[in-house]
Amino acid sequence: MIEVVDLVKHFRAADGSAVRAVDGLSFTVAPGEMVGLLGGNGAGKTTTMRILATLLRPGSGTARIAGYDVGRDPLSVRRRLGYLSATTGIPDRLTPRELLHSCGRLHGLDRSAAAGRAERLIEDLALGDYADRPCGRLSSGQRQRVSLGRALVHDPPVLVLDEPTSALDVMGSRDLLDLLAGLRAGGRAILLSTHRLHEIEHRCDRFLIVHAGRIVDQGTRDALVAGRPGGLEQAFFAALEAGVGP
Amino acid sequence: MSAVTGIAAVARFQLRRLVTPQRLTLGLVGAAFPAALVLAVRRIEPEIDRNVLVALIYALIPEAVCMLGLLVSMCPAVADELERGTWPHVVVRPRGRRSLLVGTFIAAVAWTAGIAMVALALALAAAGLGGSPGLAAMFAALIILSCLGRAALFALPAVIVPKRALVASVGVAVVVEYLAGFLPAVVNQLTVSLRLRSMLVDWMAWRRVLPAEFRLIIDDRPPWMQIAALLLLAATLLVVATLILERRQFPPSAES
């Protein structure tokens, strides 16, 4: 459902030099699979996700969502992709109901279909208590739920979620990850990034550890931590050290 | 159909952003300014010629008020989304970029034209021209055409240099509209100000009484051709801006 092959992306730095943000990434995420994309700041996670979300064009290599190339057919990709940015970016003056309705309209749903979809998401994501309160008055956790609703408004089969739990407390994180588990069980392919490894250690099917735009290790949690005490976090540091080289 | 619903959704959303008590207050203060100036002029010169008042209202409303209103409402089309972190969530939608630009264009034109119409009603009353429906209709048309043309013009800086759009648009207004627009050369054919001026001169039947040097900065073609040229220019600018926006990429660091 997500297929990435030899993906490369450069940015031009302020001094004119080229910065290789993504350096030959290849991976897949199958339907019904949740994959964690792990890495430090500047590792290339957000750039990779933004390429998948058609916000950035790949420099070279290919990325496909549900069989559609992100560079050649971005419209088809956008119809099948739910994207959650690390910045919540919710308009303060709109209520969750209005926001979900607007997003439905942006996806081309007619008025009644957009309203119906908004109602469904309000119910599924338990937004009912604050569905008619301006988003500016919601807590971080509530805003993140609304943001997830925005990503799901067109019922996409693929989800790309950039640090979905970053603004949440422990309870909020658990609730959100439970929600994602439900979406995965429904057959969605989910790629998510986070810095909070302990939260997703036992939630994701596989992990990709990236450093300087490259995958330095990947596999299931058990395969990554095999023979190492300290769980995923130790495996992560070991992979980074090996990736950096001597 | 989905393109239209997307544009309508953005336009509605942007209008909600613009119709706030603070912005409305600011807009109404701006709308009262031309009337105040007309009153001041009439106080100094009670027997002032009607044509001078018309020219003054033209300079103040279809030119100044419309320009300022569009600087506030059209220039931040992309910058606002980047700053608020809503950019990724809008453009990840099918035709999200196009909807963002055209929806913001519609909202900017509607808001600015609304403020300019209030300014017009006040200014005509202050000028003692309130009983001239023909004059009011002419200015209303000039306001709408000014808003359409200038909003499309400001769409270019908004997508090319989003974070400097306001400064760039002021530069465009000065260089294109008020320098190139007054050059008696082919380049002024590509300006909104030439079209508006020429329509004003035609509709006010000033062409015969205009001094020869002023005729150089007026186009002789009939008003319907001025309107067609202006709408064509606006459509072209908007299409170019949309094409540029479709290609724009902002690294994550551009959002703040």
Side-chain angles (χ1 to χ4, degrees):
Chain A
M1 204 53 95
I2 300 177
E3 302 161 86
V4 174
V5 180
D6 286 333
L7 193 67
V8 173
K9 180 69 184 174
H10 294 98
F11 287 118
R12 187 70 56 192
D15 62 1
S17 61
V19 177
R20 218 171 163 96
V22 179
D23 191 7
L25 282 190
S26 297
F27 63 88
T28 59
V29 182
E33 191 179 31
M34 184 148 75
V35 173
L37 187 60
L38 311 179
N41 290 329
K45 305 185 301 294
T46 295
T47 301
T48 303
M49 292 184 146
R50 290 192 168 213
I51 292 171
L52 294 175
T54 74
L55 285 142
L56 299 171
R57 284 187 301 281
S60 64
T62 57
R64 289 175 171 274
I65 299 289
Y68 294 94
D69 189 286
V70 296
R72 291 202 195 102
D73 198 354
L75 271 185
S76 298
V77 170
R78 288 172 196 157
R79 289 193 184 104
R80 289 159 181 85
L81 178 89
Y83 174 65
L84 187 73
S85 164
T87 52
T88 315
I90 289 183
D92 287 348
R93 296 170 59 82
L94 293 187
T95 67
R97 191 188 306 278
E98 290 168 338
L99 180 66
L100 295 175
H101 186 264
S102 281
C103 288
R105 298 283 284 160
L106 268 173
H107 269 281
L109 300 180
D110 64 34
R111 240 175 253 281
S112 64
R117 187 67 193 146
E119 288 309 317
R120 176 77 194 272
L121 285 166
I122 287 167
E123 193 182 319
D124 289 353
L125 300 176
L127 309 176
D129 289 346
Y130 47 88
D132 295 308
R133 196 184 301 166
C135 289
R137 286 168 43 200
L138 303 182
S139 70
S140 302
Q142 290 168 334
R143 289 166 73 89
Q144 196 69 336
R145 267 175 185 269
V146 174
S147 199
L148 183 63
R150 180 169 53 179
L152 293 170
V153 79
H154 51 304
D155 199 15
V158 178
L159 290 175
V160 171
L161 312 173
D162 195 357
E163 299 186 34
T165 60
S166 62
L168 304 182
D169 60 16
V170 178
M171 304 276 278
S173 289
R174 192 192 59 187
D175 288 352
L176 192 87
L177 290 167
D178 285 346
L179 265 171
L180 295 181
L183 294 169
R184 172 182 57 182
R188 288 183 175 86
I190 302 174
L191 177 70
L192 69 89
S193 74
T194 182
H195 292 293
R196 292 153 74 166
L197 275 55
H198 60 281
E199 286 179 349
I200 60 164
E201 182 164 1
H202 298 285
R203 300 275 194 162
C204 290
D205 301 296
R206 283 189 298 121
F207 297 92
L208 308 166
I209 302 176
V210 293
H211 177 72
R214 294 180 185 180
I215 292 180
V216 291
D217 206 353
Q218 61 180 308
T220 61
R221 186 250 173 209
D222 290 344
L224 288 171
V225 303
R228 289 192 188 97
L232 187 63
E233 201 163 287
Q234 280 307 310
F236 174 73
F237 287 126
L240 289 193
E241 281 167 23
V244 172
Chain B
M1 185 61 189
S2 75
V4 176
T5 56
I7 289 167
V10 172
R12 197 174 308 116
F13 170 66
Q14 297 288 35
L15 272 173
R16 282 193 64 168
R17 261 188 191 168
L18 288 168
V19 183
T20 61
Q22 295 94 327
R23 291 215 185 202
L24 277 179
T25 306
L26 201 69
L28 291 176
V29 168
F33 178 70
L37 208 66
V38 168
L39 278 178
V41 167
R42 287 191 73 195
R43 198 182 170 96
I44 295 165
E45 186 61 66
E47 300 304 316
I48 192 165
D49 185 70
R50 180 180 187 266
N51 286 342
V52 175
L53 284 174
V54 169
L56 181 64
I57 292 171
Y58 169 77
L60 289 172
I61 301 176
E63 292 291 339
V65 169
C66 289
M67 200 79 95
L68 290 173
L70 293 165
L71 283 173
V72 173
S73 55
M74 188 65 208
C75 290
V78 175
D80 260 3
E81 307 308 320
L82 288 171
E83 279 165 21
R84 292 167 198 252
T86 45
W87 168 256
H89 301 288
V90 174
V91 301
V92 78
R93 315 288 165 191
R95 300 188 185 87
R97 292 169 192 247
R98 196 181 310 173
S99 300
L100 174 66
L101 191 69
V102 181
T104 306
F105 171 85
I106 291 169
V109 168
W111 187 79
T112 305
I115 296 290
M117 294 295 180
V118 174
L120 176 64
L122 295 173
L124 286 177
L129 301 171
S132 310
L135 205 57
M138 177 195 76
F139 273 122
L142 289 174
I143 284 169
I144 290 166
L145 291 167
S146 172
C147 289
L148 289 171
R150 267 69 184 259
L153 184 66
F154 294 159
L156 281 177
V159 301
I160 295 169
V161 280
K163 297 209 165 178
R164 304 270 183 279
L166 194 63
V167 175
S169 294
V170 171
V172 165
V174 171
V175 174
V176 177
E177 287 294 296
Y178 297 125
L179 283 179
F182 282 87
L183 285 178
V186 178
V187 69
N188 75 3
Q189 298 289 317
L190 298 174
T191 64
V192 177
S193 64
L194 173 77
R195 305 294 163 201
L196 296 178
R197 240 179 6 248
S198 303
M199 280 185 266
L200 175 73
V201 166
D202 206 289
W203 284 336
M204 290 302 295
W206 287 348
R207 206 172 289 278
R208 281 180 293 110
V209 296
L210 216 57
E213 60 269 27
F214 278 96
R215 282 184 210 142
L216 291 172
I217 53 166
I218 299 297
D219 192 84
D220 286 335
R221 277 163 278 220
W224 73 265
M225 284 186 79
Q226 307 295 348
I227 293 171
L230 192 151
L231 294 178
L232 183 66
L233 177 67
T236 306
L237 290 169
L238 205 54
V239 168
V240 171
T242 306
L243 291 174
I244 292 171
L245 189 61
E246 292 285 353
R247 305 285 304 168
R248 283 306 309 260
Q249 298 185 82
F250 297 101
S253 58
E255 289 166 36
S256 58

